[in-house]
Coordinates of all heavy atoms in Angstrom, one line a residue:
P328 N -0.7 6.1 11.8 CA 0.1 4.8 11.5 C -0.2 3.6 12.4 O 0.0 2.5 11.9 CB 1.5 5.3 11.6 CG 1.5 6.7 11.4 CD 0.2 7.1 12.1
T329 N -0.5 3.7 13.6 CA -0.6 2.6 14.5 C -2.1 2.6 15.2 O -2.6 3.6 15.4 CB 0.4 2.5 15.7 OG1 0.2 3.7 16.5 CG2 1.9 2.7 15.0
Q330 N -2.5 1.4 15.5 CA -3.8 1.2 16.1 C -3.9 1.9 17.4 O -4.8 2.6 17.8 CB -4.1 -0.2 16.3 CG -5.5 -0.6 16.8 CD -6.5 -0.1 15.8 OE1 -6.3 -0.1 14.6 NE2 -7.7 0.3 16.3
K331 N -2.8 1.8 18.3 CA -2.8 2.5 19.6 C -3.0 3.9 19.5 O -3.8 4.6 20.3 CB -1.6 2.1 20.3 CG -1.5 2.6 21.8 CD -0.3 2.1 22.5 CE -0.3 2.5 23.9 NZ 1.0 2.0 24.7
L332 N -2.3 4.6 18.5 CA -2.5 6.0 18.4 C -3.8 6.4 17.9 O -4.5 7.5 18.2 CB -1.4 6.5 17.3 CG 0.0 6.8 17.9 CD1 0.9 7.2 16.7 CD2 -0.1 7.9 18.9
R333 N -4.5 5.6 17.0 CA -5.8 5.8 16.5 C -6.8 5.8 17.7 O -7.6 6.7 17.8 CB -6.2 4.7 15.5 CG -5.8 5.1 14.0 CD -6.4 4.1 13.1 NE -6.0 2.8 13.3 CZ -4.9 2.2 12.8 NH1 -4.2 2.9 11.9 NH2 -4.6 0.9 13.0
E334 N -6.8 4.9 18.6 CA -7.7 4.8 19.7 C -7.5 6.0 20.6 O -8.5 6.5 21.1 CB -7.4 3.5 20.4 CG -7.9 2.2 19.5 CD -7.5 0.9 20.2 OE1 -6.8 0.9 21.3 OE2 -7.8 -0.2 19.7
L335 N -6.3 6.4 20.9 CA -6.1 7.6 21.8 C -6.6 8.8 21.2 O -7.3 9.6 21.8 CB -4.6 7.7 22.0 CG -4.1 9.0 22.8 CD1 -4.8 8.9 24.2 CD2 -2.7 9.0 22.9
K336 N -6.4 8.9 19.9 CA -6.8 10.2 19.2 C -8.3 10.4 19.0 O -8.8 11.4 18.8 CB -6.1 10.3 17.9 CG -4.6 10.7 17.9 CD -4.1 11.3 16.7 CE -2.8 11.9 17.0 NZ -2.2 12.6 15.9
V337 N -9.1 9.3 19.1 CA -10.5 9.3 19.1 C -11.0 10.1 20.3 O -11.8 11.0 20.3 CB -11.2 8.0 19.0 CG1 -12.7 8.1 19.2 CG2 -10.9 7.2 17.6
R338 N -10.4 9.8 21.4 CA -10.7 10.4 22.7 C -10.3 11.8 22.7 O -11.0 12.7 23.4 CB -10.2 9.6 23.9 CG -10.7 8.2 24.0 CD -10.4 7.6 25.4 NE -8.9 7.4 25.6 CZ -8.3 6.3 25.1 NH1 -9.0 5.3 24.5 NH2 -7.0 6.2 25.3
L339 N -9.2 12.1 22.2 CA -8.7 13.5 22.1 C -9.4 14.4 21.1 O -9.5 15.5 21.3 CB -7.1 13.4 21.7 CG -6.2 12.9 22.7 CD1 -4.8 12.8 22.0 CD2 -6.1 13.7 23.9
K340 N -9.9 13.7 20.1 CA -10.5 14.4 19.0 C -12.0 14.9 19.1 O -12.3 15.9 18.7 CB -10.3 13.5 17.7 CG -10.9 14.0 16.4 CD -10.6 12.9 15.4 CE -11.1 13.4 14.0 NZ -10.9 12.3 13.0
L341 N -12.8 14.0 19.8 CA -14.1 14.3 19.9 C -14.6 14.4 21.3 O -14.3 13.6 22.2 CB -14.9 13.1 19.2 CG -14.7 13.0 17.7 CD1 -15.5 11.7 17.2 CD2 -15.2 14.2 17.0
N342 N -15.6 15.4 21.6 CA -16.1 15.6 22.8 C -17.6 15.8 22.7 O -18.1 16.6 22.0 CB -15.5 16.8 23.6 CG -15.8 16.8 25.1 OD1 -15.6 15.8 25.7 ND2 -16.1 17.9 25.6
P343 N -18.5 15.0 23.5 CA -19.9 15.2 23.4 C -20.5 16.3 24.2 O -20.0 16.6 25.3 CB -20.4 13.8 23.9 CG -19.4 13.4 24.9 CD -18.1 13.9 24.4
I344 N -21.5 17.0 23.6 CA -22.3 18.0 24.4 C -23.4 17.3 25.1 O -24.4 16.9 24.5 CB -22.8 19.1 23.5 CG1 -21.6 19.8 22.8 CG2 -23.6 20.2 24.4 CD1 -22.0 20.8 21.8
K345 N -23.3 17.0 26.4 CA -24.3 16.2 27.2 C -25.6 16.6 27.1 O -26.6 15.8 27.1 CB -23.8 16.0 28.7 CG -22.4 15.2 28.7 CD -21.9 15.1 30.2 CE -20.7 14.4 30.2 NZ -20.2 14.2 31.6
E346 N -25.8 18.0 27.1 CA -27.2 18.5 27.2 C -28.0 18.2 25.9 O -29.3 18.2 25.9 CB -27.3 19.9 27.5 CG -26.5 20.8 26.7 CD -25.2 21.2 27.2 OE1 -24.5 20.2 27.9 OE2 -24.7 22.3 27.1
I347 N -27.3 17.9 24.8 CA -27.9 17.6 23.6 C -28.2 16.1 23.5 O -29.2 15.7 22.9 CB -27.0 18.0 22.4 CG1 -26.9 19.5 22.3 CG2 -27.5 17.5 21.0 CD1 -26.0 20.1 21.2
I348 N -27.4 15.3 24.1 CA -27.4 13.9 24.0 C -28.2 13.1 25.1 O -28.8 12.2 24.8 CB -25.9 13.3 24.0 CG1 -25.3 14.0 22.6 CG2 -25.9 11.8 24.0 CD1 -23.7 13.8 22.7
A349 N -28.2 13.6 26.3 CA -28.7 12.9 27.4 C -30.1 12.7 27.3 O -31.0 13.5 26.9 CB -28.4 13.7 28.7
N350 N -30.5 11.3 27.5 CA -31.9 10.8 27.5 C -32.5 11.0 26.1 O -33.7 11.0 25.9 CB -32.7 11.6 28.5 CG -32.2 11.3 29.9 OD1 -31.9 10.1 30.3 ND2 -32.1 12.4 30.7
K351 N -31.6 11.0 25.0 CA -32.1 11.2 23.7 C -31.9 9.8 22.8 O -30.9 9.2 23.1 CB -31.5 12.3 22.9 CG -31.7 13.7 23.6 CD -33.1 14.2 23.3 CE -33.2 15.6 23.9 NZ -32.2 16.6 23.4
R352 N -32.7 9.6 21.9 CA -32.5 8.6 20.9 C -31.7 9.4 19.8 O -32.3 10.2 19.2 CB -33.8 8.0 20.4 CG -34.6 7.2 21.4 CD -35.9 6.9 20.8 NE -36.7 8.1 20.5 CZ -37.8 8.1 19.7 NH1 -38.3 7.0 19.3 NH2 -38.5 9.2 19.4
V353 N -30.5 8.9 19.5 CA -29.7 9.7 18.6 C -29.3 8.9 17.4 O -28.9 7.6 17.6 CB -28.3 10.2 19.3 CG1 -28.7 11.2 20.5 CG2 -27.5 9.1 19.9
I354 N -29.4 9.5 16.3 CA -28.9 8.9 15.0 C -27.5 9.5 14.7 O -27.5 10.7 14.6 CB -29.9 9.2 13.8 CG1 -31.2 8.3 14.0 CG2 -29.2 8.7 12.6 CD1 -32.3 8.7 13.0
V355 N -26.5 8.7 14.7 CA -25.1 9.2 14.5 C -24.8 8.9 13.1 O -24.9 7.6 12.6 CB -24.2 8.4 15.4 CG1 -22.8 9.1 15.3 CG2 -24.6 8.6 16.9
I356 N -24.4 9.9 12.3 CA -24.0 9.6 10.9 C -22.4 9.8 10.8 O -22.0 10.8 11.1 CB -24.7 10.8 9.9 CG1 -26.1 10.9 10.2 CG2 -24.3 10.5 8.5 CD1 -27.0 9.6 9.7
D357 N -21.9 8.7 10.2 CA -20.5 8.8 10.0 C -20.3 8.4 8.5 O -21.1 7.8 7.8 CB -19.7 7.8 10.9 CG -18.2 8.2 11.1 OD1 -17.8 9.1 10.4 OD2 -17.6 7.6 11.8
D358 N -19.0 8.7 8.0 CA -18.9 8.5 6.5 C -18.4 7.1 6.2 O -18.6 6.6 5.0 CB -17.8 9.5 6.0 CG -16.5 9.5 6.8 OD1 -15.7 8.6 6.5 OD2 -16.4 10.3 7.7
S359 N -17.8 6.5 7.1 CA -17.2 5.1 6.8 C -16.9 4.4 8.1 O -16.8 4.9 9.2 CB -15.9 5.2 6.0 OG -15.0 6.0 6.7
L360 N -16.8 3.0 7.9 CA -16.5 2.1 9.0 C -15.4 1.2 8.5 O -15.8 0.3 7.7 CB -17.8 1.4 9.6 CG -17.6 0.7 11.0 CD1 -19.0 0.7 11.7 CD2 -17.0 -0.6 10.8
V361 N -14.2 1.3 9.0 CA -13.1 0.5 8.5 C -12.7 -0.6 9.4 O -13.0 -1.8 9.1 CB -11.9 1.4 8.2 CG1 -10.8 0.5 7.5 CG2 -12.4 2.5 7.2
R362 N -12.1 -0.3 10.6 CA -11.7 -1.3 11.4 C -12.7 -1.5 12.6 O -12.8 -2.6 13.2 CB -10.4 -1.0 12.2 CG -9.2 -0.9 11.2 CD -8.0 -0.4 11.9 NE -6.8 -0.3 11.1 CZ -6.5 0.8 10.3 NH1 -7.4 1.8 10.4 NH2 -5.5 0.8 9.6
G363 N -13.5 -0.4 12.8 CA -14.7 -0.5 13.8 C -14.2 0.0 15.1 O -15.1 0.3 15.9
T364 N -12.9 0.3 15.4 CA -12.5 0.8 16.6 C -12.9 2.2 16.8 O -13.2 2.6 18.1 CB -10.9 0.6 16.8 OG1 -10.3 1.2 15.6 CG2 -10.5 -0.9 16.9
T365 N -12.8 3.1 15.9 CA -13.3 4.4 16.0 C -14.8 4.5 16.3 O -15.2 5.2 17.2 CB -13.0 5.2 14.7 OG1 -11.6 5.2 14.5 CG2 -13.4 6.6 14.9
S366 N -15.6 3.7 15.6 CA -17.0 3.7 15.9 C -17.3 3.1 17.3 O -18.2 3.7 17.9 CB -17.7 2.8 14.9 OG -17.6 3.2 13.5
K367 N -16.6 2.2 17.7 CA -16.8 1.7 19.0 C -16.5 2.8 20.1 O -17.3 2.9 21.1 CB -15.9 0.4 19.3 CG -16.1 -0.2 20.6 CD -15.3 -1.5 20.7 CE -15.6 -2.2 22.0 NZ -14.8 -3.5 22.2
A368 N -15.4 3.5 19.9 CA -15.1 4.5 20.9 C -16.1 5.7 20.8 O -16.4 6.2 21.9 CB -13.7 5.2 20.4
I369 N -16.7 6.0 19.7 CA -17.7 7.1 19.5 C -19.0 6.6 20.3 O -19.6 7.4 21.1 CB -18.0 7.4 18.1 CG1 -16.8 8.1 17.5 CG2 -19.3 8.2 17.9 CD1 -16.8 8.3 15.9
V370 N -19.4 5.3 20.1 CA -20.5 4.9 20.8 C -20.3 4.9 22.3 O -21.2 5.2 23.0 CB -20.9 3.3 20.4 CG1 -21.9 2.7 21.3 CG2 -21.3 3.4 18.9
E371 N -19.1 4.6 22.8 CA -18.9 4.6 24.2 C -18.9 6.0 24.8 O -19.5 6.2 25.8 CB -17.4 4.0 24.4 CG -17.0 4.0 25.9 CD -15.6 3.4 26.1 OE1 -15.1 2.9 25.2 OE2 -15.1 3.5 27.3
L372 N -18.4 7.0 23.9 CA -18.5 8.4 24.3 C -20.0 8.9 24.5 O -20.4 9.5 25.4 CB -17.9 9.3 23.3 CG -16.4 9.4 23.2 CD1 -16.1 10.3 22.1 CD2 -15.8 10.1 24.5
L373 N -20.8 8.5 23.6 CA -22.3 8.7 23.6 C -23.0 8.1 24.8 O -23.9 8.7 25.4 CB -22.9 8.4 22.3 CG -22.4 9.3 21.1 CD1 -22.9 8.7 19.8 CD2 -22.8 10.7 21.3
R374 N -22.6 6.9 25.1 CA -23.2 6.2 26.2 C -22.9 6.9 27.4 O -23.8 7.2 28.4 CB -22.7 4.7 26.3 CG -23.1 3.8 25.2 CD -24.4 3.1 25.5 NE -24.6 2.1 24.5 CZ -25.8 2.0 23.9 NH1 -26.9 2.8 24.3 NH2 -26.1 1.1 22.9
K375 N -21.7 7.3 27.7 CA -21.2 8.0 28.9 C -21.9 9.4 29.0 O -22.1 9.9 30.0 CB -19.7 8.2 28.9 CG -19.1 6.9 29.2 CD -17.5 7.0 29.2 CE -16.7 5.7 29.5 NZ -15.3 5.9 29.5
A376 N -22.2 9.9 27.8 CA -23.0 11.2 27.7 C -24.4 11.1 28.0 O -25.2 12.1 28.1 CB -22.7 11.9 26.4
G377 N -24.9 9.9 28.2 CA -26.3 9.6 28.6 C -27.3 9.4 27.4 O -28.5 9.4 27.7
A378 N -26.8 9.0 26.3 CA -27.7 8.8 25.2 C -28.6 7.5 25.5 O -28.1 6.5 26.0 CB -26.9 8.4 23.9
K379 N -29.9 7.6 25.3 CA -30.9 6.5 25.6 C -30.7 5.5 24.5 O -30.9 4.2 24.9 CB -32.3 7.2 25.7 CG -33.3 6.1 26.0 CD -34.6 6.8 26.4 CE -35.2 7.5 25.2 NZ -36.5 8.2 25.6
E380 N -30.6 5.8 23.3 CA -30.4 4.9 22.2 C -29.5 5.4 21.2 O -29.6 6.6 20.8 CB -31.8 4.6 21.7 CG -31.9 3.4 20.7 CD -33.3 3.1 20.3 OE1 -34.2 3.9 20.6 OE2 -33.5 2.1 19.6
I381 N -28.6 4.6 20.6 CA -27.6 5.0 19.7 C -27.8 4.2 18.4 O -27.6 3.0 18.3 CB -26.2 4.9 20.2 CG1 -26.0 5.6 21.6 CG2 -25.0 5.2 19.2 CD1 -24.7 5.3 22.2

Side-chain angles (χ1 to χ4, degrees):
T329 67
Q330 185 63 33
K331 188 174 181 180
L332 277 174
R333 274 190 296 271
E334 292 172 355
L335 172 63
K336 285 204 171 183
V337 171
R338 297 193 295 274
L339 292 172
K340 181 178 177 181
L341 297 174
N342 194 44
I344 301 176
K345 293 182 180 179
E346 55 265 39
I347 293 176
I348 296 165
N350 299 314
K351 300 280 183 62
R352 297 171 298 170
V353 298
I354 294 175
V355 184
I356 308 289
D357 206 352
D358 55 81
S359 57
L360 194 155
V361 182
R362 297 174 180 86
T364 51
T365 298
S366 298
K367 185 175 183 178
I369 290 171
V370 170
E371 184 179 348
L372 282 176
L373 294 170
R374 291 272 185 227
K375 289 180 178 178
K379 183 167 64 176
E380 193 174 6
I381 301 170

